[in-house]
Amino acid sequence: MIQTPYLLFLGDAPDQLAAKVARGIRDWRPDNCVGQFRMEGCNADIGLPDMTLAQARSAGARTLVVGVANRGGVISAAWKKVLVMALEEGFDLASGLHNLLRDEPDLAAVAKATGRALHDVRVPEVAYPIANGLKRTGKRCLAVGTDCSVGKMYTSLAMDKEMKARGLKSSFRATGQTGILITGDGVPLDAVVADFIAGAVEWLTPDNDADHWDHIEGQGSLFHVSYSGVTMALIHGGQPDALILSHEPTRTHMRGLPGYDLPSLEALRDTALPLARIANPAAEVVGISINTAAMAEDEALDHLAEVEARMGLATVDPFRQGAGRLVDALSGL
Amino acid sequence: MIQTPYLLFLGDAPDQLAAKVARGIRDWRPDNCVGQFRMEGCNADIGLPDMTLAQARSAGARTLVVGVANRGGVISAAWKKVLVMALEEGFDLASGLHNLLRDEPDLAAVAKATGRALHDVRVPEVAYPIANGLKRTGKRCLAVGTDCSVGKMYTSLAMDKEMKARGLKSSFRATGQTGILITGDGVPLDAVVADFIAGAVEWLTPDNDADHWDHIEGQGSLFHVSYSGVTMALIHGGQPDALILSHEPTRTHMRGLPGYDLPSLEALRDTALPLARIANPAAEVVGISINTAAMAEDEALDHLAEVEARMGLATVDPFRQGAGRLVDALSGL
């Protein structure tokens, strides 16, 4: 569990896109963020107050979160200087970089000397159990995609936010690096050993109040041959009551697999639902989330209406329209 | 790659069942075995010549394989004495035990001093790639089960043996501990990190001659919520041309999951085949392998005939009848 609130480290981000993780945290958990830390030459700005390490500590920040994709895949000497100072100032550090904080001898030594924590959210820190398949109390919703990176995390975060705004009981359950940094907790599912993937999802979504919903961050796709095993484990370990179908309509082939066509939403529904019913016979497909970022507004709305008529399910782009209708679709389950 | 031939260590096995791994190696790869090593009080006998370490070395043995399930989950002091002597005599050691050879400081030290290898086949030794989904040359057959432990490995080994006996090109591709010890090579799939499971299966079954068949050892079941992710990765990483359905007809619920019924063979076929066609549009279900060990001969033969009539596919118990008809079913693919 990463201690909040955060100071978000943007480093020397060359552009806004490089600070995508920081922006995600600010968008979804603004209460967790006291400010941003920008180095000389930083071209990103996520609209939080610029703070020094000391100012942020005074404002209550407990963890410096690396919210920027690094250049060249390494933690640079310039970054390192700030990270070491942050440990000395009393911050924990958190990062989703491939270059692990713990693998840097100086960071490891200073963290040990100062008693601070280094959170590498790509690395599992729990000995997860093998899944037992026992029915758990509470409700669970999982977004399943026609492909990777079609907006599953965004959909789950938007549904969680909408439910909280309505005063309903809801948790976002992170299964990837960005999601874990946003919430401060979760399972880095792609790094879990095969025997324990489904068990890690069970662990992440335990018994809860009967009217509480877990919104489980999806990963991969049943139709993506590189990652379908992880998707399968999410469906069986998560034992979802509700499935949301996620899709990006302008994509021409499966991400990273040029020879592979995307499945239709019908094929996704007809594949995912029977598999979900193995773990939860009451599972239903309740709605469709479409990422229309690549479309003009008119075109997007026409497309959403066409899909809704064809599939007979609430169909929205939560970025354009919010997730209200998807949350509505959960009532009665 | 484990060096052959083997001396099979039966230790102080309390009964025949405890030496199951050794028996599997002797049954499927008799040419790899020069003898058995039994300690005082051993109640197992797999029918190989009893040998001392020195005799086995003279007979050409290069690796001492722990072919026995240990009591209490630890490598006992009595075993350790033999294992250390074996290293000193020039043997490598291989084991599928949870208690890793490499985690025993004395074994690790002696292995280092003598320059011998310790093979813990539960631990991946390769940095597997992420699956790329590219079509590979050669043919592949995968057994998929209604449940775990229904005879998938046996079926694949029997088909491989039958093909070799007919002079056809064939490899058994091991994905579990026993299979790896039998063949001396393979991938311990349940210990591979999630992102790389399908890639490990691609790595295991590379391009080959157009008329060569890989018989890939199956794991888990699409219907077993604890392990279905591994099964999914086998189906997509293995891109099988042929699927064999495997079943054990007397089982009353999924192994280790009391609340879960077994699926029908029809449900298994209708679930597995469309998923297999994502990676290989030419995939077909070609036959059925039924483990009738719990049935009397008459009952077993009636059951096999009933399933064959119902499903319209060659249906055999390879233990009773051999795998000839399953191999026949591959011709034409």
Side-chain angles (χ1 to χ4, degrees):
Chain A
M1 188 89 192
I2 304 170
Q3 300 296 314
T4 56
Y6 302 153
L7 175 63
L8 299 177
F9 176 74
L10 308 193
D12 46 6
D15 51 34
Q16 288 284 35
L17 192 63
K20 189 169 74 161
V21 170
R23 207 164 54 250
I25 301 172
R26 184 216 58 189
D27 287 349
W28 296 109
R29 293 290 183 274
D31 295 350
N32 283 354
C33 307
V34 304
Q36 63 187 15
F37 184 101
R38 301 195 294 164
M39 290 165 53
E40 178 116 354
C42 181
N43 292 319
D45 181 349
I46 59 168
L48 291 173
D50 284 299
M51 289 189 180
T52 64
L53 295 171
Q55 287 167 337
R57 282 292 288 162
S58 300
R62 301 179 66 178
T63 303
L64 182 76
V65 174
V66 179
V68 53
N70 58 350
R71 285 182 277 204
V74 294
I75 296 174
S76 70
W79 283 23
K80 191 79 74 72
K81 203 168 150 188
V82 179
L83 300 181
V84 167
M85 282 170 50
L87 289 168
E88 297 284 0
E89 288 276 354
F91 286 91
D92 291 342
L93 302 181
S95 159
L97 300 174
H98 276 288
N99 183 171
L100 303 184
L101 299 170
R102 71 184 64 175
D103 287 347
E104 296 298 306
D106 42 358
L107 293 180
V110 176
K112 194 174 176 194
T114 56
R116 306 318 315 164
L118 302 179
H119 296 284
D120 288 300
V121 302
R122 280 184 188 271
V123 183
E125 296 189 336
V126 172
Y128 303 111
I130 289 176
N132 61 31
L134 296 176
K135 177 71 183 160
R136 304 190 293 288
T137 54
K139 300 286 187 184
R140 286 157 199 88
C141 179
L142 174 69
V144 291
T146 51
D147 193 3
C148 301
S149 307
V150 291
K152 297 186 296 292
M153 182 180 79
Y154 192 99
T155 301
S156 295
L157 282 163
M159 291 180 73
D160 174 54
K161 187 175 181 177
E162 174 69 18
M163 285 193 70
K164 289 190 166 97
R166 295 185 188 182
L168 300 171
K169 296 176 191 168
S170 172
S171 303
F172 171 74
R173 302 298 190 181
T175 62
Q177 287 74 248
T178 304
I180 295 171
L181 289 174
I182 288 173
T183 59
D185 208 356
V187 170
L189 207 57
D190 59 10
V192 173
V193 164
D195 245 2
F196 307 101
I197 323 174
V201 181
E202 290 188 348
W203 177 92
L204 181 66
T205 59
D207 278 331
N208 216 316
D209 294 345
D211 57 346
H212 176 279
W213 280 88
D214 277 332
H215 297 280
I216 307 171
E217 181 187 355
Q219 296 291 340
S221 164
L222 289 170
F223 292 81
H224 196 295
V225 297
S226 308
Y227 307 116
S228 53
V230 176
T231 313
M232 185 76 263
L234 276 158
I235 291 173
H236 282 168
Q239 52 184 230
D241 301 275
L243 295 172
I244 307 285
L245 308 182
S246 294
H247 184 54
E248 203 286 81
T250 68
R251 202 163 290 182
T252 54
H253 62 74
M254 298 293 284
R255 191 176 165 90
L257 302 175
Y260 287 79
D261 292 336
L262 268 74
S264 65
L265 285 162
E266 287 87 345
L268 175 61
R269 174 194 66 201
D270 296 343
T271 302
L273 186 58
L275 290 170
R277 286 184 171 165
I278 292 168
N280 183 350
E284 295 287 352
V285 175
V286 300
I288 300 174
S289 172
I290 301 203
N291 177 349
T292 62
M295 294 173 155
E297 179 85 3
D298 281 1
E299 186 191 4
L301 297 179
D302 286 352
H303 181 76
L304 294 166
E306 182 271 312
V307 172
E308 176 148 348
R310 198 179 92 218
M311 300 288 293
L313 291 166
T315 302
V316 303
D317 182 336
F319 186 82
R320 290 183 193 268
Q321 304 166 302
R325 294 186 61 226
L326 296 179
V327 169
D328 295 344
L330 298 179
S331 68
L333 291 189
Chain B
M1 189 86 193
I2 304 170
Q3 300 296 313
T4 55
Y6 302 153
L7 175 64
L8 299 177
F9 176 74
L10 308 193
D12 46 5
D15 52 34
Q16 288 284 34
L17 192 62
K20 189 168 75 161
V21 170
R23 208 164 52 248
I25 301 171
R26 185 216 56 188
D27 286 350
W28 296 108
R29 291 293 182 273
D31 294 350
N32 283 353
C33 308
V34 303
Q36 63 186 16
F37 185 100
R38 301 194 295 163
M39 290 165 53
E40 178 114 359
C42 181
N43 292 319
D45 182 349
I46 59 167
L48 291 173
D50 284 299
M51 288 189 181
T52 65
L53 296 170
Q55 287 168 338
R57 281 293 287 162
S58 300
R62 302 180 65 178
T63 302
L64 181 77
V65 174
V66 179
V68 53
N70 57 349
R71 285 180 278 202
V74 294
I75 297 174
S76 68
W79 283 22
K80 190 80 74 73
K81 203 168 150 190
V82 178
L83 300 181
V84 168
M85 281 170 50
L87 290 168
E88 298 285 0
E89 288 275 354
F91 286 90
D92 292 342
L93 302 182
S95 159
L97 300 174
H98 276 289
N99 182 169
L100 302 185
L101 299 170
R102 71 184 66 176
D103 287 347
E104 297 298 307
D106 42 358
L107 292 181
V110 176
K112 194 174 174 194
T114 56
R116 306 317 318 162
L118 302 179
H119 296 285
D120 288 300
V121 300
R122 281 185 187 271
V123 183
E125 296 189 335
V126 172
Y128 303 111
I130 288 176
N132 62 29
L134 296 176
K135 177 71 183 160
R136 304 191 294 289
T137 54
K139 300 286 186 183
R140 286 158 198 86
C141 179
L142 174 69
V144 291
T146 52
D147 192 3
C148 301
S149 307
V150 291
K152 297 186 296 293
M153 182 181 79
Y154 191 99
T155 301
S156 295
L157 282 163
M159 291 180 74
D160 174 55
K161 186 175 181 178
E162 174 70 17
M163 285 192 70
K164 289 191 167 98
R166 294 186 189 182
L168 300 170
K169 296 177 191 169
S170 172
S171 302
F172 171 74
R173 301 299 191 180
T175 63
Q177 287 73 246
T178 304
I180 295 171
L181 289 174
I182 288 173
T183 60
D185 207 356
V187 171
L189 207 59
D190 59 9
V192 173
V193 164
D195 245 3
F196 307 101
I197 323 174
V201 180
E202 289 189 349
W203 177 92
L204 181 67
T205 59
D207 278 330
N208 217 316
D209 294 345
D211 58 345
H212 176 277
W213 281 88
D214 276 333
H215 297 280
I216 308 171
E217 181 188 355
Q219 295 291 339
S221 165
L222 289 170
F223 291 82
H224 195 295
V225 297
S226 308
Y227 307 115
S228 53
V230 176
T231 313
M232 184 77 262
L234 275 159
I235 291 173
H236 282 167
Q239 51 184 230
D241 301 273
L243 295 173
I244 305 285
L245 309 182
S246 294
H247 185 53
E248 203 286 82
T250 68
R251 203 163 289 182
T252 54
H253 61 75
M254 297 293 284
R255 190 175 166 90
L257 303 175
Y260 288 78
D261 293 335
L262 267 75
S264 66
L265 285 162
E266 287 87 345
L268 175 61
R269 175 194 64 201
D270 295 344
T271 302
L273 186 58
L275 290 169
R277 286 183 171 166
I278 292 169
N280 184 350
E284 296 288 352
V285 175
V286 300
I288 301 174
S289 170
I290 301 201
N291 177 348
T292 61
M295 295 173 153
E297 178 86 2
D298 281 1
E299 186 192 5
L301 297 179
D302 286 353
H303 181 77
L304 293 166
E306 183 272 312
V307 172
E308 176 147 349
R310 197 179 93 217
M311 300 290 292
L313 290 166
T315 302
V316 303
D317 181 337
F319 186 81
R320 290 184 193 268
Q321 303 165 303
R325 293 186 63 224
L326 298 178
V327 169
D328 294 344
L330 298 179
S331 68
L333 292 187

